[in-house]
Amino acid sequence: MKRTTTLGLAIGLALTTTPALSQASEVLRVAHVWPGGSMIDKELFQAWANSVEEASNGELEVQVFPGQTLAKSDQTYQSAVEGIADIGSTAQGYNSGRFPLTQVIELPGISHSSKQGSCILQSLYDQGTLDKEYEDSHVLFMFTTGPGYLHTKQKLIENPEDMAGMRMRRPTSVVGDMMTRLGAQAVGMPAPDVFTSMQRGVLDGLSFNWEAMKTFRLNEQTRYHTEVPLYDLSLVATMNQERYEELPEHLKKIIDEHSGMEWSMKAAAVYDKLIEQGRQEAVDAGHEFLAVEAPLEDPQWGPVLRTTIDSYLQEAGKEAQPIYAEAMQLSQECPI
């Protein structure tokens, strides 16, 4: 009799626990390249994770892996495609040649802030202009870094020719080609590796936006800053396509609500705040600055920047020209 009671109790427990198991949360792993604890990690990706979890009443659990802990910078996009990460966020420029049309946003003279650049890039994607470059993943939102400038350790770059012979970290192949034409040695490496390379003397300088100068502590390694906007780096947060499709419809809806222009602008707001802080950090440290006004019209920098634009458009093919024209039109519509 006692044995029967125990068995009945066990069956009863099993039946009562089964519904709880069916309500187990879906776990989404997010891989990104920014340092853990940085403002971008906390105010963008952790904020996104918290918002998704709250909106789903805990049905979606989001685990964030910052600082290349789940995937290296140049492998983050592919990690999302292959499902190593459920969601990955990185710079498209780390995958040279893979996103040539997207990288139109990186040309000089298109955007003047992360807010403006992110608006332009997300608008291009929303219009379907860039669809074919992302057929292998489910894009959540796109954003940009804001203008990238020149930062050096030993001397101020006053004109393009001053880069001759210098070992400069290039952010993208477009800017790298420009540096090479000017006689610099353009070195490609992920942003998290630049601090150590500057510290060891592997690099003489770099091209970065002010956010990155703060996030990656590079104001500690430089003293001279030439504010000529060479580029605006494109960034993407994207999801494994199969992982998205297998979610129940109500959870897909929550992911959709955490995508698109709204989150592009949230990302840009974090970036623009960091841009202001990064520059002020260098000011407070007593660094030396040179600002180039109207760079495309500048007699020294203008020809260099226009050659960069022409070179990109020629190499990117016929599709690039109308996209560039649309980006320039959007720059008039998207607020700075």
Side-chain angles (χ1 to χ4, degrees):
M1 188 73 176
K2 184 177 181 179
R3 180 183 177 86
T4 304
T5 303
T6 303
L7 179 60
L9 178 62
I11 293 171
L13 287 171
L15 290 173
T16 58
T17 56
T18 300
L21 289 173
S22 68
Q23 295 299 314
S25 60
E26 297 268 7
V27 177
L28 298 177
R29 296 163 303 160
V30 179
H32 72 74
V33 303
W34 293 268
S38 65
M39 190 181 295
I40 294 174
D41 176 47
K42 292 187 295 183
E43 295 192 15
L44 177 56
F45 294 105
Q46 294 291 346
W48 188 90
N50 294 340
S51 183
V52 165
E53 289 179 349
E54 182 179 354
S56 68
N57 292 317
E59 285 190 70
L60 287 171
E61 176 188 343
V62 184
Q63 299 175 352
V64 180
F65 295 83
Q68 306 185 92
T69 51
L70 186 57
K72 294 296 183 183
S73 301
D74 59 352
Q75 299 167 358
T76 301
Y77 183 86
Q78 189 61 27
S79 77
V81 171
E82 295 177 358
I84 297 168
D86 298 302
I87 296 166
S89 185
T90 189
Q92 288 93 322
Y94 287 150
N95 298 266
S96 182
R98 187 167 186 166
F99 305 99
L101 299 180
T102 297
Q103 289 186 267
V104 71
I105 191 64
E106 299 175 1
L107 295 177
I110 292 181
S111 72
H112 300 86
S113 67
S114 178
K115 180 180 180 180
Q116 187 180 39
S118 298
C119 172
I120 295 168
L121 182 58
Q122 185 67 45
S123 296
L124 288 173
Y125 180 77
D126 289 345
Q127 293 170 7
T129 305
L130 308 174
D131 280 359
K132 75 174 188 179
E133 293 189 342
Y134 301 92
E135 291 176 339
D136 52 3
S137 74
H138 179 82
V139 170
L140 301 180
F141 55 93
M142 295 189 184
F143 52 115
T144 72
T145 63
Y149 304 122
L150 293 166
H151 312 273
T152 49
K153 196 166 190 172
Q154 301 294 338
K155 70 173 185 177
L156 181 68
I157 295 174
E158 298 186 50
N159 56 67
E161 289 73 22
D162 286 345
M163 277 193 283
M166 297 184 72
R167 294 162 297 179
M168 301 289 292
R169 187 264 182 182
R170 64 164 179 81
T172 70
S173 56
V174 174
V175 178
D177 290 345
M178 181 200 74
M179 290 178 173
T180 299
R181 286 196 302 272
L182 294 170
Q185 180 183 343
V187 182
M189 68 175 63
D193 299 340
V194 178
F195 181 92
T196 302
S197 295
M198 289 291 292
Q199 193 175 45
R200 293 176 178 174
V202 175
L203 296 172
D204 299 309
L206 59 138
S207 183
F208 253 158
N209 62 86
W210 280 115
E211 167 277 321
M213 296 300 289
K214 178 176 175 62
T215 298
F216 297 102
R217 297 171 48 212
L218 288 161
N219 280 325
E220 299 174 21
Q221 296 296 323
T222 57
R223 181 167 181 80
Y224 303 96
H225 311 279
T226 304
E227 294 182 295
V228 53
L230 301 179
Y231 71 100
D232 187 348
L233 189 63
S234 59
L235 304 162
V236 62
T238 197
M239 186 171 182
N240 177 269
Q241 185 67 51
E242 291 181 9
R243 189 72 180 92
Y244 173 80
E245 292 295 343
E246 71 185 15
L247 290 175
E249 289 301 319
H250 70 290
L251 294 184
K252 281 185 192 175
K253 184 173 184 291
I254 288 170
I255 296 298
D256 294 344
E257 290 169 350
H258 287 77
S259 302
M261 187 63 78
E262 179 182 357
W263 277 89
S264 176
M265 291 297 97
K266 287 179 183 292
V270 177
Y271 256 92
D272 282 334
K273 187 191 304 183
L274 276 167
I275 286 169
E276 183 178 344
Q277 292 178 5
R279 190 182 192 282
Q280 189 59 48
E281 187 177 78
V283 170
D284 292 343
H287 292 186
E288 188 173 342
F289 296 78
L290 172 66
V292 180
E293 304 294 339
L296 287 175
E297 310 307 322
D298 185 85
Q300 292 181 308
W301 289 98
V304 173
L305 299 180
R306 291 185 183 281
T307 298
T308 299
I309 295 170
D310 293 342
S311 177
Y312 161 82
L313 292 174
Q314 184 175 2
E315 293 180 10
K318 292 184 295 184
E319 291 177 280
Q321 185 63 56
I323 295 175
Y324 174 67
E326 179 62 21
M328 292 299 290
Q329 177 59 40
L330 286 167
S331 72
Q332 302 300 312
E333 301 170 10
C334 289
I336 297 175

